[in-house]
Amino acid sequence: MTVQALKRQPSATTGSGARIGLTVTKKVGNAVVRNRIKRRLRIAYSIGASEGLFEPGTDYAIIARRDALHADFDILKASLIANAKAALSNAGRGKTRVKERQSKQHMKQAS
């Protein structure tokens, strides 16, 4: 998966929590497959957010790959959190994108 992060200014309309946007392209599979991947990522995000692992006031854009469909859920969650933290640290240096280098290795181990 690829994760991009961008800090935003808090306002009355957007709130101060972290937000996510999910993208799964048609190359990954049909609508059922894409929705299942998005559902798994939403759940992983909500668990991580409840544990305070996502920075408040940050927008995360997640571009998922097919590996996210069959990966072990704990590995998927760990990969999402690690990539989100890396994207956030890169955002402070002017880079907003983290590719799937580490997460790809974790996903392959699960298969």
Side-chain angles (χ1 to χ4, degrees):
M1 79 183 69
T2 302
V3 178
Q4 298 177 346
L6 181 65
K7 294 285 278 181
R8 68 179 191 286
Q9 297 296 323
S11 69
T13 58
T14 60
S16 62
R19 300 184 303 185
I20 62 166
L22 298 170
T23 301
V24 184
T25 65
K26 284 187 175 183
K27 285 196 283 185
V28 171
N30 62 15
V32 174
V33 170
R34 295 192 310 266
N35 288 334
R36 186 176 215 185
I37 291 171
K38 288 190 272 187
R39 195 168 37 245
R40 294 186 82 208
L41 287 170
R42 274 191 213 106
I43 293 169
Y45 166 77
S46 66
I47 291 170
S50 68
E51 296 172 358
L53 299 175
F54 290 93
E55 184 76 24
T58 306
D59 291 336
Y60 295 96
I62 302 162
I63 304 167
R65 305 289 180 237
R66 186 160 182 91
D67 294 340
L69 179 63
H70 299 294
D72 182 58
F73 186 76
D74 292 330
I75 293 172
L76 179 69
K77 184 178 93 169
S79 176
L80 175 62
I81 292 167
N83 284 338
K85 287 183 179 182
L88 188 60
S89 68
N90 284 344
R93 292 182 286 166
K95 298 177 182 178
T96 60
R97 187 173 181 162
V98 172
K99 288 199 176 183
E100 54 188 298
R101 289 180 198 115
Q102 295 128 353
S103 66
K104 204 170 199 181
Q105 293 169 352
H106 292 298
M107 299 280 189
K108 283 185 179 178
Q109 291 172 356
S111 299

